[in-house]
Every structure is written in C-alpha cells, then in structure tokens.
Amino acid sequence: MSNWLYLHARAIADAFRRLAGQPLGTLLSAMVVGIALSLPAGGYLLLDNVATLARGVSGTPEISLFLANDAGAADVAAVERRLKGNPELSSFRFVSRDDALHQLERSGLGDVLGGLTANPLPDAFIVAPHSEDPAVFERLATEMRGWPKVAHVQLDSAWVKRLHALLGLGRSAVLMLAGLLGFALVIVTFNTIRLQILTQRAEIEVSRLLGATDPFIRRPFYWFGILQGALGGLVALGTVWLGVRALAGPVTALAETYGAVFALAGPGLPEAAAILAFAALLGWLGAAVSVRRHLAGD
Amino acid sequence: MIVFDNVAKRYPGGYTALAGVSFEIRHGELVVLSGHSGAGKSTLLKLIPAIERPTAGTVLINGQDVSRLPRRAVPYLRRNLGLMLQESKLLTDRSVFENVMLPLVITGHPPGDAAKRVAAALERVGLGGRGREMPLGLSGGEQQRVAIARAIVNRPSILIADEPTAHLDPAYADEIAALFKSFNSAGVTVLVSTHDANLFAANKPRRLVLAKGLLTEGA
C-alpha cells in the first residue's frame, strides 16, 4: 500500500514537473478548459439565482376565488363548506373585503382609496391544492367558476409555474451545453496527452527497458490530465466569480427598482467542488482515452 | 543461467537475423559476442530481455522461458537484468543522478535507500560527486559510465551490453572494459557484444562469434 502511494506521489510530482516545464502551454490549456467550463457553470449559477428569486416570490401555486359584490355571509359560508369538503385542497384562507382594503391601504394606496365612497373590493378565498399539476388547477378553477356567487377565479401562480418550466428548460440547455463542451474538453486533453506522449517517447522506451510496467508509464499521464482539468476548473471558477462580482451591483440595483431585495449569489463550496471535480474527471477521461490510444501495444 | 536452444529469428519481410542458434552461459561467466555488422548480435541480445521474441526455439534466463513470457511479466524479467542496449539512451533532460535513479524509481525503492544506491553506483563507475551534472555536459566515455551505473544500480545478476565501447577512444574503451571485468569478478554474469576483437583480450573471455545469423564459434 505504501509503495502504491509512493508511486502515485511520484506520478503526481512528475505531472506537476511536466506542467511547470511548459508554463505557456499549461496556461493556454487551462484557459481553454476554464473558459469553456465557465459557460455552463455560469449558466447553472444564473438559473440557480433565478430559481431562488422565484421561490422567494411564491413557493406554492394558488387559486384566488373572488365572490360577487352582493354575496352575503350565508354565501361565504356555503363556499367555505364546499372548499372544506374538497379533498383535493391542502389549505385555503378567507380574505374579507375589509381585510383586502386594509392591505391595499398599507401598500401605499391610501390616498387613492380615500376618494372612494364605498369599498369596491370583493370577499375572496385563497386556495392551495395538493397537486401542482396545471391540469388539476384548470379543472378546479372551472369547477369553482360554476359555484353560486363566485364572480371570478384566477390562477395566481400560473406565471411561477411557467417560470419553473422555463427553468427546467434552461437546466436542460445548460446540461446539453456542459455535455458538448465537456466532450470538447476531453478532446483538448486527448490531444495534449498525445503530444506529451510523443515528446516523451524516448523516456517511455527507456523506462520500459528498465522494467517499467504499463501502470507506471501511464500513471503520470493520468495525473497530468487530472491536474490540467483541475487547473481549468480553477480558471472557470475565477471567471464565474469575476462575472458575479461584475453583475452583482447592477442586479441589486435592478431588483431595488422593483421594490425587491436581491443579491446575486456566487458559487458556494459544494458548487465549486463540483466544478473542480467535473473538470478533473474530464481531464482524466481525455488522458485515459489518449493513453489507451497512443500507448497501446508499446 | 542463459540458454539459447535452436533459436531462430525471422523478421516480417523474410529477413533471417538468427538461424538455429544454441549456446549456454553459466553463472559468473564473462562472454564476448562478436561478429560483423548485420551478423545478428543486437538481435540475439534483444531476445534476452524479450524486446524481441524468437520465431523458433527457446530462450531460458535463470530457468525461465522468456520466449513465451506473457507481456505483463516482461517488466519484472527486465528488472533483474542490467541492460545497456542501443535503445537505452540517457535522458538528456534529467541529471546524471536522476538517470541512474530511474530503475529504482520504477521498482519503488524508498527514496533514502535509492539515493545511497545511486551514489554508490556512481562512485563505482568513477563519477562520484557528479550526480548533478547533465548528460550532455559529459564526454562520451563518461556518458557510457552513467549508462553502466544505471544498469547496475538494481544489482542485477546478469549484465548485457550492446557495443558499449562504440564511438569511444581506445583509452576510454579500455576503461569501460575494465569496469565490466570488475563487475564480472564480483560474480555478475556479463555478456557484451563488440566488433573490437582486442577488447577484453587480456581477460581471455569466452567468445561467441556470429556470422549471418549462425554461431560459428563458442557454442
């Protein structure tokens, strides 16, 4: 075990030596890997921020059920009984016309409302179904529209659902982008390792004559790929971090114009670790394919 | 120790490098392999570490049939041999010390012990204290000494050298020959190919002479 670790430590040191031996090539490769990875990483981060924002605005899709202005207490009670008897609903709350008026006054529209002679707002129920299936929402809304003294039914959070659908689409697009660019990175590493093998052909041949096994020959190339990938991952993290730093101020300012408080979040520790691991994995994969292709049968 | 039994080697294309060669080298012998260019000396030496495989016959090293050795077992065979073949050049981007260290790195020797062995091997070939120098800064004879140090650092029981004195001045060649003789005196089996009939003459070694793939003397 200790010998195995020692040989890996030697291979890592050897890979570092090779990377340090050609600083410009190493830097350029890391930049290519990093910039390519920063696109899906930045896209993922952007979607994550939008998702957080959407969760903050409304986490659960709801149905607003507005009663007619002439609905009396008995009508309200009748609607409440229907809601209580519906097993598809997880919760509902009643917002009286007076409460609705008070809420509007507190939101800064007191001056406008002060000019009215009577409360124009209706009584309302805010209803949350168990399911988030749009078809269930539509069916329930249609059913409620047929109830007595129900004037209007509105799917309050339909836009949130659309946003979630768009986020899902965005995630798929980011995954596809990551897949494509990941494949490109495997090719970049494949070619880098191919050149490494060509330039070190003499060393490989001498090592084989001196009794080096296949794993001994291949190990430094695997580590080279892993380290090059990880360096690219660091460049990607740096690029994303710079992007977040550059956009954080304008995004916060934009949110403030809508009366919202929102700060753009950069990659956390788990995301950073995932980006590094993904980059290292791609590097290893490119190296493994290249080594298999160019050292086979030596 | 080294047994060739009716060994033939024919390359793709039909060229026959060796045709039915048989001989035996016992433990501790000093054997000089000679013959003109193209006689098959290099091919014969390459059969011992399984760089080449015979097309017929058997090659035994310490009782092990290397002609049928699985590919994965070849590295472990080579670790027990000291090789100075034309392919085993020095690495010009590594120091003398690192070149000699390479066989010990491959076998996973602890660094401290390996460093001592390298220093001892360099001392043995007269290059003590010159480990930090680069191979290209050394003379041809010194480079050959480094190659010898690398070949013996793993303390092999068999030392094989292909034309180790080629391109060397006679004085350097005699020094190299003296080194091989000293290793042989310490119990190492030595098989050296050379086209120089006078080399090792003073030691009266056993001679194998090849001509056109056939052993004409020393079987």
Side-chain angles (χ1 to χ4, degrees):
Chain A
M1 184 64 178
S2 61
N3 193 42
W4 182 84
L5 286 175
Y6 168 68
L7 289 173
H8 270 281
R10 292 281 319 190
I12 292 170
D14 199 29
F16 266 119
R17 186 177 57 79
R18 290 174 187 181
L19 284 168
Q22 42 186 355
L24 183 63
T26 300
L27 181 68
L28 290 177
S29 296
M31 293 289 280
V32 169
V33 172
I35 290 169
L37 268 183
S38 66
L39 292 174
Y44 173 82
L45 204 66
L46 182 69
L47 290 173
D48 204 40
N49 274 284
V50 173
T52 305
L53 182 63
R55 273 196 299 274
V57 171
S58 173
T60 314
E62 293 170 330
I63 299 172
S64 295
L65 196 151
F66 299 100
L67 302 185
N69 277 337
D70 61 346
D75 298 317
V76 172
V79 170
E80 189 171 356
R81 274 197 302 278
R82 284 174 182 266
L83 292 173
K84 277 182 179 169
N86 192 327
E88 289 190 277
L89 305 181
S90 65
S91 65
F92 67 87
R93 67 179 189 280
F94 176 65
V95 181
S96 71
R97 54 194 305 181
D98 293 336
D99 288 343
L101 189 65
H102 289 317
Q103 282 180 22
L104 270 183
E105 283 170 351
R106 280 198 297 275
S107 70
L109 293 173
D111 294 344
V112 178
L113 295 171
L116 298 173
T117 53
N119 183 357
L121 301 175
D123 289 325
F125 284 93
I126 309 298
V127 178
H130 287 297
S131 169
E132 292 189 4
D133 183 351
V136 173
F137 269 62
E138 281 300 337
R139 185 169 49 72
L140 285 172
T142 305
E143 182 188 332
M144 289 169 184
R145 281 186 192 108
W147 292 353
K149 295 297 178 182
V150 171
H152 180 63
V153 177
Q154 181 180 312
L155 301 179
D156 286 343
S157 301
W159 70 272
V160 174
K161 291 192 72 67
R162 284 190 206 106
L163 181 62
H164 279 290
L166 281 174
L167 285 173
L169 187 65
R171 284 197 187 95
S172 299
V174 165
L175 272 179
M176 280 177 58
L177 188 65
L180 276 173
L181 291 173
F183 183 65
L185 298 188
V186 168
I187 293 172
V188 167
T189 312
F190 176 92
N191 196 47
T192 308
I193 297 294
R194 182 182 70 85
L195 294 174
Q196 284 283 319
I197 290 171
L198 284 176
T199 56
Q200 288 165 42
R201 181 60 72 181
E203 183 177 343
I204 291 168
E205 285 174 4
V206 167
S207 297
R208 285 200 190 282
L209 280 174
L210 296 174
T213 57
D214 285 346
F216 181 89
I217 300 285
R218 294 175 177 190
R219 214 175 276 132
F221 295 111
Y222 291 150
W223 278 112
F224 187 96
I226 289 170
L227 290 175
Q228 182 179 280
L231 280 175
L234 282 175
V235 172
L237 277 175
T239 308
V240 170
W241 183 79
L242 284 175
V244 169
R245 289 267 298 179
L247 293 175
V251 166
T252 303
L254 180 68
E256 280 171 358
T257 63
Y258 286 92
V261 177
F262 179 70
L264 200 59
L269 196 60
E271 286 87 3
I275 289 171
L276 281 178
F278 183 60
L281 179 72
L282 290 177
W284 172 83
L285 187 62
V289 175
S290 191
V291 161
R292 181 174 286 271
R293 171 78 179 78
H294 297 108
L295 283 177
D298 271 21
Chain B
M1 178 140 254
I2 301 176
V3 178
F4 273 56
D5 182 15
N6 207 25
V7 172
K9 174 65 183 178
R10 179 176 295 180
Y11 286 101
Y15 173 68
T16 300
L18 295 174
V21 171
S22 297
F23 65 87
E24 184 177 339
I25 296 174
R26 289 180 298 279
H27 176 75
E29 272 195 290
L30 169 63
V31 178
V32 174
L33 177 66
S34 58
H36 294 294
S37 293
K41 302 190 296 293
S42 295
T43 299
L44 187 149
L45 294 182
K46 284 180 185 175
L47 291 171
I48 294 172
I51 295 169
E52 298 283 359
R53 303 291 184 125
T55 42
T58 305
V59 177
L60 297 177
I61 307 296
N62 293 331
Q64 186 178 31
D65 185 356
V66 302
S67 45
R68 286 164 190 80
L69 203 60
R71 186 176 174 276
R72 64 179 180 282
V74 169
Y76 303 99
L77 163 76
R78 292 179 185 169
R79 290 177 187 186
N80 293 316
L81 302 171
L83 296 175
M84 278 185 69
L85 304 181
Q86 285 165 18
E87 293 84 352
S88 48
K89 303 174 185 78
L90 296 179
L91 303 176
T92 53
D93 62 339
R94 306 277 183 102
S95 69
V96 166
F97 186 91
E98 288 169 325
N99 267 280
V100 180
M101 180 81 131
L102 190 54
L104 301 174
V105 171
I106 288 169
T107 49
H109 264 75
D113 177 52
K116 285 178 190 167
R117 280 205 189 194
V118 172
L122 286 173
E123 197 70 45
R124 188 85 169 78
V125 298
L127 291 173
R130 301 184 65 182
R132 289 185 179 178
E133 294 183 33
M134 301 303 282
L136 291 180
L138 304 177
S139 68
E142 288 169 335
Q143 288 182 21
Q144 285 298 67
R145 285 163 181 266
V146 177
I148 293 171
R150 190 178 64 183
I152 59 152
V153 75
N154 252 341
R155 297 172 186 164
S157 59
I158 301 173
L159 185 56
I160 294 162
D162 190 8
E163 301 278 7
T165 59
H167 317 300
L168 292 183
D169 292 340
Y172 282 131
D174 287 341
E175 285 179 9
I176 299 295
L179 272 175
F180 281 107
K181 178 58 192 163
S182 71
F183 293 131
N184 178 243
S185 300
V188 177
T189 305
V190 178
L191 174 58
V192 186
S193 81
T194 179
H195 61 277
D196 183 353
N198 296 320
L199 200 67
F200 296 103
N203 303 309
K204 295 180 181 172
R206 178 180 164 199
R207 287 190 181 276
L208 298 176
V209 181
L210 276 173
K212 295 181 179 174
L214 293 167
L215 201 59
T216 58
E217 186 184 323

